[in-house]
Amino acid sequence: MNIEEFRDELEVRLSIEKQYLTQEATSIDESERLELLGKFNEKYKELIKRLANESGIDLNASYPSGNLSESENLSYEQIILGKTMSVYDRLSDELYEEITNL
């Protein structure tokens, strides 16, 4: 699985988690709803680990760089976080809007 496929699959699974948390927000006290954002962050981290495991990706392994002059070797985890952070940011913003407008 390449990084773009990984990102797409993560987005699908994270969207599902966001829906579950939005549903959960309707059944909890308003003062506890913002805690769901922390729960969403943990789901994001868990999903990255689970998808990497399912795909046979060692998150600690160095990501092969096409640029040989690059002095710093980045890990798969660093590359994945960089490529998926925009997905996480967008979905967490949506979750925030949904739970604060209930």
Side-chain angles (χ1 to χ4, degrees):
M1 176 181 292
N2 68 36
I3 297 295
E4 289 305 314
E5 291 170 340
F6 189 99
R7 183 192 160 288
D8 293 344
E9 182 63 23
L10 180 68
E11 183 172 6
V12 168
R13 294 186 189 192
L14 206 52
S15 293
I16 293 167
E17 291 297 337
K18 181 183 77 83
Q19 290 173 346
Y20 286 132
L21 292 173
T22 301
Q23 290 174 350
E24 184 179 333
T26 62
S27 64
I28 62 174
D29 190 304
E30 186 177 336
S31 63
E32 298 173 335
R33 288 184 187 152
L34 290 181
E35 293 175 16
L36 294 175
L37 293 172
K39 201 172 187 179
F40 187 69
N41 182 273
E42 289 304 314
K43 293 288 184 181
Y44 170 63
K45 293 175 188 176
E46 289 172 16
L47 283 171
I48 286 176
K49 289 177 185 174
R50 187 178 311 142
L51 269 172
N53 188 40
E54 290 172 9
S55 303
I57 297 172
D58 178 1
L59 292 174
N60 296 316
S62 291
Y63 185 80
S65 174
N67 186 358
L68 297 177
S69 66
E70 187 176 321
S71 61
E72 181 180 340
N73 287 332
L74 298 176
S75 69
Y76 270 93
E77 184 175 29
Q78 291 169 312
I79 296 295
I80 288 169
L81 288 172
K83 294 282 188 178
T84 63
M85 189 56 69
S86 63
V87 170
Y88 169 78
D89 287 342
R90 180 177 48 79
L91 292 174
S92 63
D93 287 348
E94 289 175 12
L95 178 62
Y96 175 80
E97 289 297 319
E98 291 172 13
I99 64 177
T100 57
N101 290 323
L102 290 176

